[in-house]
Amino acid sequence: MRRLRIVHHTGYTYQDPATDSFNEARMVPASDADQRLLEQRLEITPKAWTQEYTDYWGTRVVAFELHNPHRRLDVVSTSTVEVERRGLGGLGVGWDDLATSRVEDRFAEYLGVSARVDPGEEVRERVSGLLLATTGPHEFAPMVGELIHDEVAYVSGSTTVHTLAREAWTARKGVCQDLAHLMIGALRVAHVPARYVSGYVMPDRDAEVGETQVGESHAWVEYWDGRWIGYDPTNAAVPGDSHVRIGSAPDYGRIPPLRGIFSGGPTSELFVEVEVTRLA
């Protein structure tokens, strides 16, 4: 078990004052079977009207509005979480089990190969060989994750939130979002339900108690093998006690940490800082 404190500071600066802005923050860690949210505080500057709800995908959202001119918007989420992943494996679902209308109906939203996650023809060909050599997603999914990890270098700042999975593959570089999208697309091509997980990770898994590290928003994948199983293609590993989950959705576009619209100045610039401290 690990107890982690996460401080996620993000927001926008505006070229000219924004007169009104409407935003959604998805920055509150989940409480589930593998982690427990102990404390949480979300601070918004300037002071804003807020409303909380749970979205369609099960993620906690804080919606807020500002109606006074402002040149900067600051959102600071401070969370304390206990993480103890049980390491439950899949149920050994076979390819015949997935090729049923019941699975297709239940997981339709996690099976569509959209432009955002389409891995492209080369990846489709590469994973077809893995598909033939495996008996189900419990064997296939980790192989796909390792393939993407080995072929696509993690390069901070090399892509944007709008980069398509096949573009990252062609460039052979990307960030965690791109690697997750590539793995999701490759799994869905094989008719394996897969979803995008948004959260955080402490970079050094061997951090000492009391140590604070520059962390990052992180993304990994969950695939269906009778239950949802996690895999982190950026690190070629199963998520552990250093991973903190916010929620999941079909792709990044449904679960960005901060999203909004504004009126006023012509442009805005996003900034992000994350610190993770091991408390126990």
Side-chain angles (χ1 to χ4, degrees):
M1 183 274 292
R2 286 199 174 186
R3 181 176 296 179
L4 303 173
R5 182 176 64 238
I6 301 153
V7 181
H8 183 176
H9 182 194
T10 187
Y12 296 101
T13 56
Y14 304 97
Q15 181 178 343
D16 293 325
T19 55
D20 298 276
S21 65
F22 304 83
N23 307 273
E24 292 179 342
R26 290 170 171 82
M27 299 164 59
V28 179
S31 281
D32 55 30
D34 294 320
Q35 64 183 47
R36 185 160 63 104
L37 181 61
L38 302 178
E39 296 179 340
Q40 211 287 322
R41 183 175 71 255
L42 190 73
E43 300 170 286
I44 302 166
T45 307
K47 187 175 177 61
W49 174 89
T50 64
Q51 179 183 13
E52 295 189 21
Y53 67 94
T54 300
D55 70 12
Y56 178 81
W57 312 106
T59 304
R60 183 173 166 185
V61 182
V62 179
F64 60 95
E65 303 176 10
L66 296 97
H67 299 289
N68 294 314
H70 52 285
R71 286 186 174 272
R72 180 181 174 100
L73 168 65
D74 288 89
V75 183
V76 182
S77 175
T78 304
S79 308
T80 302
V81 187
E82 280 187 351
V83 186
E84 187 172 12
R85 302 203 175 275
R86 298 171 297 165
L88 295 177
L91 301 182
V93 171
W95 296 126
D96 290 341
D97 299 315
L98 291 180
T100 63
S101 59
R102 182 180 63 85
V103 169
E104 186 165 337
D105 291 343
R106 180 180 178 185
F107 298 110
E109 292 159 319
Y110 298 114
L111 286 168
V113 184
S114 65
R116 186 183 286 267
V117 303
D118 188 341
E121 287 304 315
E122 183 179 352
V123 175
R124 288 171 181 259
E125 292 176 5
R126 295 279 294 272
V127 301
S128 64
L130 301 178
L131 184 64
L132 294 173
T134 55
T135 61
H138 60 290
E139 297 175 342
F140 177 71
M143 290 183 180
V144 171
E146 289 173 10
L147 169 66
I148 292 166
H149 172 82
D150 292 344
E151 292 281 350
V152 181
Y154 178 90
V155 180
S156 179
S158 60
T159 57
T160 73
V161 296
H162 304 294
T163 299
L164 303 179
R166 63 177 178 271
E167 294 173 337
W169 176 265
T170 299
R172 290 301 197 277
K173 60 184 178 181
V175 295
C176 56
Q177 171 188 306
D178 304 299
L179 275 72
H181 280 160
L182 275 166
M183 183 174 177
I184 288 168
L187 292 175
R188 292 182 187 174
V189 164
H191 208 71
V192 178
R195 62 191 187 186
Y196 181 102
V197 181
S198 176
Y200 306 101
V201 66
M202 190 166 205
D204 182 0
R205 300 177 186 178
D206 299 321
E208 299 291 335
V209 173
E211 182 177 347
T212 297
Q213 297 182 354
V214 176
E216 56 188 14
S217 295
H218 195 52
W220 61 95
V221 176
E222 288 176 344
Y223 63 92
W224 182 255
D225 183 29
R227 60 168 64 101
W228 289 108
I229 305 298
Y231 190 88
D232 181 352
T234 301
N235 295 297
V238 174
D241 292 350
S242 295
H243 288 71
V244 175
R245 190 181 193 277
I246 291 175
S248 62
D251 55 46
Y252 169 84
R254 322 290 179 91
I255 194 169
L258 182 64
R259 173 171 57 194
I261 58 173
F262 70 95
S263 60
T267 61
S268 64
E269 184 173 347
L270 176 71
F271 60 87
V272 181
E273 299 172 355
V274 179
E275 289 184 347
V276 184
T277 304
R278 183 179 178 187
L279 302 179

